[in-house]
Amino acid sequence: MEEKERRVFLCQDSTEGILSAVHMAYLSRYGHKYITIQLKDQWEPSLFCHVTEVDADIEKAESVARAVMKKISPEAWQWVYKASMAGVPEKAQQIYRFLNLGFSVGKRVCDYLSSEYVLPVYQLSRKVGRETDKLMGFVRFRELKSGILFSKISPKHQQLFFLGEHFADRLPEENWVIYDQGRRMACVHQARGPWAVAGDMPLEEERIRHVSPAESDFVDLWKTFFNHIEIKERHNPHLQMNMMPKRFWKNMTEMQGF
C-alpha cells in the first residue's frame, strides 16, 4: 500500500497557536499518523512533505480546550496548558499525540504514564509547574522613580501567565511589570485593575535604571539582612544552589555581587 504524503502544520509558539493547529489537523481528516505539528520558528525545512502555516485563532483554540475538558478531563487540560508553555521545540507534536490518544480513551489517558504519547506531556507539565513554584518565591520587584514595581526574569519556560495570576492576587493595589528578558514579553498590571501579557516589548534600560530613594534604602537593608542572617560555620553553597538555583541569581536583589 502506497504511503500518503506527510503534512506539516506550522503554528505559533503559544497555547492558542498549538490548539489552532490541532483544530486544523482534525478538520483535515487526513489521518493523524501522516500529520506533524511543529512550531513555526523552530521548524527545519524537509523534503517530501506538504507544509501549511496555521494562524492562531482564539475561537478554534477555545473549542479544542472545551473539547479536552469535556471529552477527556480537566486534569488533562491542565497538563496540555502547562506543556504548551514549555520552552522546548517538540511540545506541539507531543501535545497533538497526547490529545489523539486522549480523545480515543477519555479521562483514563492520565493514567497511561508508561505511554510514549502521555509521559512527555506529563513531564513538560511538571517542569513548567516546578519552575512556576520557584519563581513565585524568587521574583524580586524594585520600585522605580515612577512608582511602578518592576521585575526581570529569565525563565526556561513561558511563565508570565502564571505569575500574572499569582501577583495580581498578591499585589492588587500596585502598578507592576514583570519582564521576560529572553522572550521580550511583559506582564503588566494596573492597580486595582486587570493584568495583561504583551509581546515584542523592547526593554528600555535607562528607564528602569532609576529607582526611588526608598528602594535604594530598602536594597541596602535587604542585602545587610541577607548577609547577616547566615550562620557562617554552616555555610553550604551546594545546599544553597539546590534550594535557590544559580540561574535565578542574576535577577535576585540579595545575590547581586555573588
Side-chain angles (χ1 to χ4, degrees), residues 32-43:
H32 297 310
K33 71 176 183 177
Y34 302 110
I35 293 176
T36 300
I37 297 178
Q38 299 208 12
L39 302 181
K40 192 180 302 184
D41 296 338
Q42 304 287 340
W43 182 66

Side-chain angles (χ1 to χ4, degrees), residues 53 107 131 139 156 164 180 234:
E53 292 194 14
K107 64 181 180 181
E131 186 178 57
V139 164
K156 291 181 179 179
D180 184 333
R234 296 183 181 178

Side-chain angles (χ1 to χ4, degrees), residues 3 30 40 57 64 66 68 78 83 92 137 146 163 192 194 218:
E3 285 286 307
Y30 192 69
K40 192 180 302 184
D57 186 305
V64 174
R66 287 193 298 269
V68 174
Q78 286 301 313
S146 61
L163 296 177
R192 297 176 296 281
F218 178 80

Side-chain angles (χ1 to χ4, degrees), residues 137-143 150-152 211 214-227 244 248-258:
F138 295 156
V139 164
R140 297 290 183 264
F141 289 101
R142 54 179 174 158
E143 186 180 54
F150 180 83
S151 175
K152 285 193 295 185
V211 298
E215 175 67 18
S216 297
D217 293 339
F218 178 80
V219 168
D220 291 339
L221 287 171
W222 178 238
K223 286 185 175 181
T224 300
F225 169 76
F226 183 79
N227 290 331
M244 188 188 297
F248 294 110
W249 288 14
K250 66 180 179 180
N251 293 316
M252 297 178 66
T253 305
E254 65 270 34
M255 303 308 292
Q256 302 304 308
F258 277 78

Side-chain angles (χ1 to χ4, degrees), residues 38-232:
Q38 299 208 12
L39 302 181
K40 192 180 302 184
D41 296 338
Q42 304 287 340
W43 182 66
E44 295 183 2
S46 59
L47 299 174
F48 312 116
C49 64
H50 181 271
V51 179
T52 302
E53 292 194 14
V54 181
D55 294 327
D57 186 305
I58 297 295
E59 290 186 3
K60 291 177 181 178
E62 288 180 344
S63 71
V64 174
R66 287 193 298 269
V68 174
M69 287 186 279
K70 181 179 179 179
K71 297 181 180 180
I72 308 179
S73 69
E75 180 183 18
W77 165 246
Q78 286 301 313
W79 287 14
V80 168
Y81 180 58
K82 289 183 179 180
S84 71
M85 300 293 182
V88 297
E90 62 273 14
K91 64 183 179 182
Q93 179 66 2
Q94 291 174 345
I95 289 171
Y96 177 51
R97 293 305 185 203
F98 171 77
L99 291 178
N100 289 340
L101 180 60
F103 285 129
S104 175
V105 304
K107 64 181 180 181
R108 292 176 296 157
V109 72
C110 292
D111 297 326
Y112 295 174
L113 289 181
S114 60
S115 169
E116 62 179 319
Y117 298 144
V118 176
L119 185 59
V121 171
Y122 171 74
Q123 289 176 328
L124 287 181
S125 174
R126 294 265 294 179
K127 287 178 181 177
V128 172
R130 283 196 294 266
E131 186 178 57
T132 303
D133 290 341
K134 285 185 169 63
L135 281 170
M136 285 179 180
F138 295 156
V139 164
R140 297 290 183 264
F141 289 101
R142 54 179 174 158
E143 186 180 54
L144 305 182
K145 276 191 174 180
S146 61
I148 295 173
L149 302 181
F150 180 83
S151 175
K152 285 193 295 185
I153 59 173
S154 302
K156 291 181 179 179
H157 311 294
Q158 168 59 273
Q159 296 289 353
L160 291 180
F161 293 95
F162 303 115
L163 296 177
E165 184 176 359
H166 174 74
F167 284 105
D169 182 61
R170 295 290 299 275
L171 301 170
E173 302 294 320
E174 304 290 343
N175 293 306
W176 52 257
V177 176
I178 302 176
Y179 185 78
D180 184 333
Q181 290 179 287
R183 295 172 179 80
R184 289 163 56 90
M185 298 176 69
C187 181
V188 182
H189 175 265
Q190 180 182 4
R192 297 176 296 281
W195 60 274
V197 174
D200 195 23
M201 298 277 288
L203 183 62
E204 299 181 26
E205 294 285 354
E206 186 61 30
R207 293 186 65 181
I208 67 169
R209 187 174 294 119
H210 303 291
V211 298
S212 68
E215 175 67 18
S216 297
D217 293 339
F218 178 80
V219 168
D220 291 339
L221 287 171
W222 178 238
K223 286 185 175 181
T224 300
F225 169 76
F226 183 79
N227 290 331
H228 284 78
I229 196 173
E230 180 188 28
I231 301 173
K232 300 299 181 183

